[in-house]
Amino acid sequence: MVDLHAISDNESLSHTPESTPFVMQAILYGPGAKTSCFQANVDDGAMVNVIDLKAFMKASQNLEKLTQSTCILPMVNGSEVPSHGVWTGTFQWKKAKVRTSFKVFDSGGVWNMLIGKPLLEQLQATHDYANDTIIIPATPRPYIVPN
């Protein structure tokens, strides 16, 4: 397994523009229309949607309880981290709202929430890398979310 974040050939990449992580604000809805806001990283290469355990615990009084999970999440460094459960509820990103699920595990504080491919597919979102925007289909016109 290769950690691509650690690879460097020490060549000058002046011809390549610098990339920045796609970070956005997400809202999760709990019982009685209570809400919790999360700073979320969008990673269309991640095969799961996840919330960091510490971030979930801070917001847990406003959210539905976790359901049991036996999932073990493999990390880039080869370690395996057990899920603490699954949160299911309403997720909002800008004007787009959908019922979805997130696995909850201890990321060590690397991020609060990770929006992966399953949620992006559910929203039918496309990532326009040239403009660094995510486009979510909607009527009468799509939502365009800038980074």
Side-chain angles (χ1 to χ4, degrees):
M1 188 175 301
V2 176
D3 181 355
L4 295 177
H5 295 99
I7 292 176
S8 173
D9 58 11
N10 294 323
E11 290 182 20
S12 171
L13 298 176
S14 61
H15 63 280
T16 305
E18 188 174 317
S19 289
T20 57
F22 202 106
V23 180
M24 46 75 71
Q25 294 296 313
I27 300 171
L28 299 183
Y29 285 80
K34 292 180 182 177
T35 60
S36 292
C37 294
F38 288 82
Q39 180 173 320
N41 290 54
V42 178
D43 183 348
D44 51 10
M47 296 296 118
V48 293
N49 305 313
V50 291
I51 301 172
D52 175 67
L53 177 62
K54 197 176 286 187
F56 181 84
M57 295 310 290
K58 285 182 185 176
S60 63
Q61 70 276 4
N62 294 331
L63 300 174
E64 295 286 348
K65 301 280 186 233
L66 297 179
T67 57
Q68 188 174 4
S69 172
T70 58
C71 180
I72 296 176
L73 302 162
M75 300 292 107
V76 167
N77 67 4
S79 66
E80 295 181 336
V81 180
S83 171
H84 288 267
V86 176
W87 175 84
T88 300
T90 301
F91 167 92
Q92 183 175 347
W93 182 5
K94 298 290 184 183
K95 294 180 181 178
K97 237 182 199 184
V98 65
R99 185 159 176 82
T100 196
S101 296
F102 284 81
K103 291 178 175 35
V104 175
F105 81 101
D106 187 356
S107 76
V110 175
W111 36 256
N112 290 328
M113 175 184 279
L114 185 67
I115 296 172
K117 190 173 179 181
L119 182 54
L120 295 169
E121 287 177 338
Q122 187 178 1
L123 292 168
Q124 298 178 346
T126 55
H127 193 160
D128 180 344
Y129 289 96
N131 295 316
D132 203 14
T133 57
I134 291 181
I135 302 151
I136 302 169
T139 303
R141 59 181 171 254
Y143 306 131
I144 299 175
V145 184
N147 188 5

